[in-house]
Amino acid sequence: MTRLRVTPGASARSAFRTGIVAAAVVALACVGFLYWAGQLTLLLVGFVLVVVFPVYLVFAASVLSVWLGYNKGVTDLRPVYRERKAP
């Protein structure tokens, strides 16, 4: 049985962008709140923003891309060949 593959459209792009912005705002608000509450030092805030925050955004992008249909299966892969120039 063949699966019907529908490519994501403009609504998916908009939802992805909105989801990434929302994830970033929530993460930054949490870091700000934890700093304000005294749970994070300034050094820890710097570590979180430089090391943890980008990893969190990659994870959020991965989850959103699968949820919105941007994921590709093994059958979607095809070999890439470079044309050889004549000597």
Side-chain angles (χ1 to χ4, degrees):
M1 182 166 154
T2 61
R3 254 176 70 174
L4 179 63
R5 295 290 281 173
V6 178
T7 58
S11 296
R13 278 191 302 274
S14 176
F16 183 82
R17 189 178 315 113
T18 304
I20 289 295
V21 169
V25 166
V26 167
L28 291 175
C30 287
V31 169
F33 176 75
L34 288 174
Y35 177 71
W36 177 77
Q39 298 297 317
L40 292 178
T41 63
L42 195 56
L43 183 64
L44 228 64
V45 169
F47 175 78
V48 167
L49 291 179
V50 170
V51 176
V52 178
F53 185 65
V55 174
Y56 166 74
L57 286 181
V58 168
F59 178 73
S62 299
V63 169
L64 283 171
S65 68
V66 170
W67 181 53
L68 292 171
Y70 284 112
N71 59 335
K72 299 287 183 178
V74 176
T75 58
D76 293 330
L77 300 176
R78 57 192 154 108
V80 177
Y81 298 103
R82 182 178 290 168
E83 292 183 21
R84 297 184 186 200
K85 293 182 181 178

